[in-house]
Amino acid sequence: MDRRGFIGAGAALALVPLLRQAWAAQPPAVDHAAMGHGGMGAAAETMPAAAALGLPAGLALPALPLLRNQSALPGVFSAALSAGAQALPLLPGKPATVFWSYNGQVPGPTIEVFEGDELRLHFENRLSQPTTIHWHGLPIPADQDGNPQDPVPPGGAANTALLCRRAAPAVTGITRTRTDIPPSRCIGD
């Protein structure tokens, strides 16, 4: 060990008591179950079973519909997507619940593109507040990845045009809107 390494190791050891004090001063971990929304606490015990609500049980989930490619060119996927409010009934005899949807459906449609395809997507915001499309699982340039610093205003539109490059084997990409985090707090997902 040389002199610099010895001094560095000594300095690190001298910091150990300070780090232990800082660690001990940390608040305890949050107990989400005690808040009543932990899923397995008292709230779950008071929820009626799906059958008691008249909901079907044990059925396979339907496949998500594909967003139709409007391009006749090979290797080009072109489509339109809109975000808007959609009232959907959840329980028989109860008022419909308003969801934010893509193309009037929850969840939104599947966008199926392949490595090497060009994706051209026209997006319209029919919501009452600014939003974006944020992509997961696809290598998207930062300027087109729907961050809160570049929202689409209500009634506005945006166009995405990009080449689908190889990301990872068997990658599944998803999209979601970003209206939940003010730009000053959005550091990443």
Side-chain angles (χ1 to χ4, degrees):
M1 176 182 281
D2 64 357
R3 182 177 174 183
R4 284 188 179 164
F6 180 76
I7 292 172
L13 285 173
L15 290 175
V16 167
L18 294 173
L19 294 173
R20 291 181 87 183
Q21 286 177 346
W23 184 262
Q26 293 293 318
V30 176
D31 182 6
H32 288 280
M35 293 180 179
H37 59 78
M40 299 308 248
E45 294 170 10
T46 60
M47 290 291 293
L53 295 172
L55 297 174
L59 301 177
L61 293 174
L64 294 175
L66 289 173
L67 184 61
R68 193 172 70 76
N69 185 357
Q70 299 171 354
S71 173
L73 300 172
V76 175
F77 183 93
S78 179
L81 194 65
S82 65
Q86 179 72 27
L88 300 171
L90 294 181
L91 299 172
K94 300 290 183 181
T97 301
V98 176
F99 290 90
W100 286 3
S101 65
Y102 284 120
N103 288 7
Q105 61 190 64
V106 176
T110 299
I111 301 171
E112 188 174 51
V113 292
F114 299 92
E115 181 180 343
D117 284 354
E118 180 182 350
L119 172 65
R120 299 177 188 168
L121 189 70
H122 178 74
F123 174 66
E124 292 182 6
N125 180 9
R126 297 178 184 163
L127 296 170
S128 60
Q129 61 183 282
T131 190
T132 64
I133 297 180
H134 183 68
W135 302 86
H136 286 261
L138 296 174
I140 306 295
D143 66 339
Q144 296 191 24
D145 198 17
N147 66 64
Q149 287 80 17
D150 189 24
V152 178
N159 291 305
T160 298
L162 52 96
L163 182 64
C164 297
R165 295 188 184 92
R166 182 182 178 117
V171 68
T172 299
I174 61 171
T175 62
R176 66 181 174 93
T177 57
R178 291 301 303 255
T179 60
D180 57 331
I181 302 172
S184 61
R185 289 188 35 221
C186 185
I187 306 227
D189 285 0

